[in-house]
């Protein structure tokens, strides 16, 4: 009888996968998710428990966005990886994940203009590709739990950009020192790198603005610097050409996505080694298709968009965004993705992999606790299935 590992000979979410040098036992990946529990930027014991809960042998986890420098934060209590205290604290988290036999990458993050003076050293302006702020359509979560407007950023001077590239390189080295198996460069969702990629934000007139070549330059320099430091086989890249989060619109998301991919392919060819993976966020109607008709894109349009990127990239393709068990099964069976990352469902189902395997009911997530600081409530207190009877059981409070 066919089981969930290979239904009728097809690849399923439970087929093993060789991701570069890493042997994964299945294809359900923990998506990077900011959870605001790293008090003052330092991972706490609760993070070790949270990630360990979501780890099983051969699982692949991507950490929450982790800040590369003291100008990089735009949420309360997000972890950093730019000083020794943070590196030491991360070691305990990574050890807890490794003890379960899972693999974990650190997502390197700089929010750029999606920040606020309260998160900046000495209350300065956040840095970006531009002097224009995020529009008032969007609000920023402040440390006291209230929401504010995004302030006017300061466009990086041309000669400052190499310093930021260097911060990514150093952060990657720190991540390896902390024991992470690799890093993911967060080039998605309207944050600093996306602020260079998208022509709806990047209004520079120097070598980092204007043409596609120039807008891709910042990301590509970061990829090169990080790969030079830790090796391509420990580096993933995330992008979201069609996601308009925080005004990150582009006049041609497909062409932008293909431009990034062509450059990554070329680098891989030159190195003779592949990056670990490319991680792309599904538009799911967010932006793609709106430009021409003013209507959201269709399912088909979206599938064509993702498939075109997938076919063009020479390497492991990780898809994210709005996947259910069924959609994930379809994506891997059809070859639209090698791996699928799950976000919200993984927040409220620490044993998501097992639940998917059994096709067991899922616990609903509570949005209200996504970004709160309690180390237990809405964080490590979601129930596991009782393995003997398939019913949920609450976690014991240690
Ligand atoms: C609470 C929360 C925090 C997130 N934080 C990050 C982040 O730090 N970095 C990132 O690249 N994406 C982040 N995302 C996006 C997720 O990685 C994922 O792509 C998104 O949730 C869509 O997947 P889903 O439909 O399975 O939830 C976050 C999403 C949520 C819900």
């Amino acid at each position: 009888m066919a089981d969930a590992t290979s239904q009728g000979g097809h690849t399923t979410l439970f087929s093993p996968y060789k991701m570069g040098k890493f042997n994964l036992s299945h294809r359900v990946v923990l998506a990077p998710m900011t959870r605001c529990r790293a008090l003052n930027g330092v991972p706490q014991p609760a993070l070790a428990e949270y990630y360990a809960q979501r780890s099983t042998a051969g699982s692949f986890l991507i950490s929450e966005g982790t800040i590369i420098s003291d100008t990089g934060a735009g949420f309360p209590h997000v972890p950093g990886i730019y000083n020794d205290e943070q590196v030491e604290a991360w070691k305990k988290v990574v050890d807890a994940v490794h003890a379960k036999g899972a693999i974990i990458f650190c997502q390197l993050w700089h929010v750029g203009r999606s920040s606020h003076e309260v998160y900046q050293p000495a209350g300065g302006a956040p840095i970006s590709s531009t002097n224009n702020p995020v529009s008032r359509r969007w609000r920023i979560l402040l440390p006291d739990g209230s929401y504010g407007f995004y302030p006017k950023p300061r466009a990086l001077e041309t000669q400052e950009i190499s310093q930021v590239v260097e911060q990514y390189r150093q952060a990657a080295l720190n991540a390896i020192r902390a024991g992470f198996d690799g890093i993911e460069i967060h080039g998605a969702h309207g944050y600093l790198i996306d602020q260079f990629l998208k022509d709806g934000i990047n209004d520079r007139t120097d070598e980092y603005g204007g043409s596609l070549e120039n807008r891709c330059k910042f990301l590509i320099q970061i990829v090169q610097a990080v790969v030079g430091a830790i090796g391509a086989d420990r580096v993933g890249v995330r992008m979201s050409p069609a996601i308009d989060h925080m005004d990150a619109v582009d006049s041609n998301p497909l062409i932008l996505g293909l431009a990034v991919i062509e450059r990554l392919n070329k680098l891989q060819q030159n190195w003779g080694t592949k990056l670990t993976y490319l991680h792309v966020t599904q538009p799911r109607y967010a932006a793609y298709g709106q430009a021409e008709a003013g209507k959201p894109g269709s399912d088909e349009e979206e599938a064509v968009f993702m498939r075109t990127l997938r076919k063009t990239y020479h390497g492991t393709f990780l898809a994210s965004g709005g996947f259910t068990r069924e959609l994930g099964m379809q994506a891997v069976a059809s070859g639209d993705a090698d791996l699928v990352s799950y976000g919200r469902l993984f927040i409220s189902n620490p044993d998501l992999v097992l639940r998917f395997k059994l096709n067991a009911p899922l616990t609903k997530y509570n949005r209200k606790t996504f970004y709160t600081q309690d180390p237990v409530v809405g964080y490590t207190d979601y129930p596991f299935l009782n393995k003997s009877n398939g019913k949920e059981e609450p976690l014991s409070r240690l």
Side-chain angles (χ1 to χ4, degrees), residues 31-35 63-66 107 109 184 186 188-189 191 238 279 281 320-323 341-345 347 367 370-371:
M33 278 183 295
T34 295
R35 302 304 314 278
S63 83
E64 61 207 277
T66 300
Q107 192 189 49
W109 192 25
E184 175 176 290
H186 190 348
H189 306 163
Y191 296 110
R238 186 170 205 186
H279 190 179
T281 319
S320 182
F323 281 93
S341 81
Y342 288 87
R344 290 161 294 178
L345 295 179
I347 287 181
R367 273 180 192 284
F370 279 0
Y371 302 118

Side-chain angles (χ1 to χ4, degrees), residues 100-111:
K100 295 274 196 89
I103 295 144
I104 183 165
F105 274 31
C106 180
Q107 192 189 49
L108 300 188
W109 192 25
H110 193 302
V111 301

Side-chain angles (χ1 to χ4, degrees), residues 60 66 90 190 375:
F60 179 48
T66 300
W90 269 120

